[in-house]
Amino acid sequence: MLLASSWIQINITSQELWEEMLCLKGLIVVDVFQAWCGPCKPVVNLFQKIRNEVGSNLLHFAVAEVDSIGALEKYRGQCEPVFLFYTGGELVAVVRGADAPLLQKTILKQLAGERKGLHGREPVV
């Protein structure tokens, strides 16, 4: 496995790492950013808080620079923060802007759906 994660975020720097990340089990929240503006730093504390509260190994946070990942080409040239939510390698939700209450609500909703899906019930998307 090539992914090197800190205790809170995985740093995705190439298409190869992007594809590997999509294979992770659980919910993956990706902060996509451009080199000239960087990832959204204010949400790191929110992610840490949520992860501490849910204590789940089914919840992953990542940052990915759009300029180095072909799959994120359509997000290039945007200056607003964009957060992508993936489960089972599929995009299940998008949040635009650093709206902490909306991010938290979306994370908890998608995580609940992921947990239900792993127990034989349909995921909530």
Side-chain angles (χ1 to χ4, degrees):
M1 180 171 236
L2 298 174
L3 293 178
S5 67
S6 68
W7 61 280
I8 189 69
Q9 287 182 327
I10 301 166
N11 189 21
I12 306 299
T13 57
S14 69
Q15 183 67 35
E16 181 182 20
L17 290 174
W18 174 261
E19 291 168 8
E20 187 177 332
M21 179 212 57
L22 291 178
C23 295
L24 291 172
K25 300 243 186 270
L27 175 65
I28 307 161
V29 182
V30 184
D31 176 0
V32 296
F33 69 94
Q34 301 214 41
W36 52 268
C37 66
C40 187
K41 292 179 182 173
V43 299
V44 173
N45 288 336
L46 173 67
F47 291 165
Q48 179 181 352
K49 177 181 174 272
I50 293 171
R51 187 164 179 136
N52 287 341
E53 288 175 1
V54 300
S56 176
N57 61 355
L58 293 177
L59 180 59
H60 309 281
F61 297 109
V63 293
E65 183 184 339
V66 298
D67 296 321
S68 62
I69 302 164
L72 299 176
E73 184 175 359
K74 69 181 177 180
Y75 298 102
R76 292 178 186 157
Q78 299 178 18
C79 62
E80 145 183 81
V82 176
F83 300 89
L84 307 177
F85 296 75
Y86 287 87
T87 59
E90 298 292 322
L91 182 65
V92 295
V94 177
V95 172
R96 295 183 182 278
D99 182 339
L102 180 57
L103 281 167
Q104 183 168 355
K105 178 181 176 182
T106 305
I107 290 167
L108 295 176
K109 176 183 175 185
Q110 294 299 329
L111 188 58
E114 181 66 13
R115 285 181 174 152
K116 288 179 184 176
L118 290 175
H119 292 94
R121 288 176 255 144
E122 288 296 313
V124 179
V125 178

